[in-house]
Amino acid sequence: MKEFDYVIIGGGCAGLSLAYELEIHEKLKDKTLAIIEPRDEYKRDKTWSFWKVTSHNFDDCVKKNWENFSINIPKKTNYLQCKSFPYQSIDSGLFYEKINNKLNENKNISYFKDVSEISLKNSFIFNSVPFIKKDYRNLWQHFCGVEIETKNNFFDDEIFNLMDFDCDQRESIHFFYTLPYSKNTALVETTWLSKINDNSQKDYDKQIKDYIENHLNLKDYKIIYKEEGAIPLFYPIDKNEKNKINIGTAGGMTRLSTGYTFLNIQEHSKYIRENIENIANVKKYKISTKYQFLDEIFLRVLEKHPEKMSDIFFKMFKASPKTVIKFLSNKSNFFEDLSIILRMPKLTFIKALFY
């Protein structure tokens, strides 16, 4: 069986980002890489969106940038600006095409459907497939989104709606999210923060249809794309194994309070590339312990008091948008953290320390 210097298990966002980072910095000139990915073809299947708080390799895959956004609860809307950190949406189809075109130029890189096709004996492994123990108590961010097209101009494509809580909560946390790509196309997504075993929340098509037709008051439209997914709001099991590093969600790159993962993956990929010559001994890369602690408290409140969460999110964005964005993107300093914390219902969060 053929051996490789490096093996990436999972050719999704994390695996391909790492392979691309290594390739463009010529770290695979004299090394061999195997990418294990079962899919038959790469096509658009996801949308990754985030505030651009740091540079990345994929500006040419960005479908749209926004410098204005809104968040609303029933009868209240907050309009905000994000000029310092524009919000970006990446089309996974463009992302896959760009990376695979580049990787196909290097004969040292091979793709396989299953790990059993190669020998792992002397390889360093980067694993992006999370090991998730089934536990009904765990919280997830689960969602379904459709891109719609209208006959006439309908959307203001200069502003996106980050969270619209003016919808049926069903004793959980539920909001809609609208990204207008143009005046007649937009991604409309229903998002839940809850235990994933509650199938009553998964009538996504009905939720989206009702929101578009009765909330946005849009009757004449067609669905041109659909995506569905779930992000664990807990860390998967991450064992310390010799000659193996977990990446992506498997490596703890998902920010638990938000589900944001894309930019964390890019920073982790850069860190691995910078240390690739000594990768077996490098210190583990992780999201700051400060954010892990704050997210844990936040998720305890979310679990115990779902009815309070829409107000909590709304109040959070009463702080400077720049501060909130930095906080949600792991880039805030102590004083910025404090300005967010002071806007939270103090007794509720103090009690959460002792749950």
Side-chain angles (χ1 to χ4, degrees), residues 8-23:
I8 293 175
I9 299 176
C13 182
L16 290 183
S17 293
L18 175 57
Y20 186 80
E21 179 72 19
L22 294 173
E23 172 61 14

Side-chain angles (χ1 to χ4, degrees), residues 330-342:
N330 329 327
K331 300 293 179 189
S332 53
N333 60 38
F334 171 77
F335 296 104
E336 288 164 331
D337 295 338
L338 197 60
S339 74
I340 299 290
I341 291 164
L342 290 174

Side-chain angles (χ1 to χ4, degrees), residues 45-58:
D45 58 355
K46 289 181 176 66
T47 304
W48 299 302
S49 302
F50 49 86
W51 280 285
K52 190 183 180 185
V53 295
T54 186
S55 60
H56 58 81
N57 292 325
F58 303 105

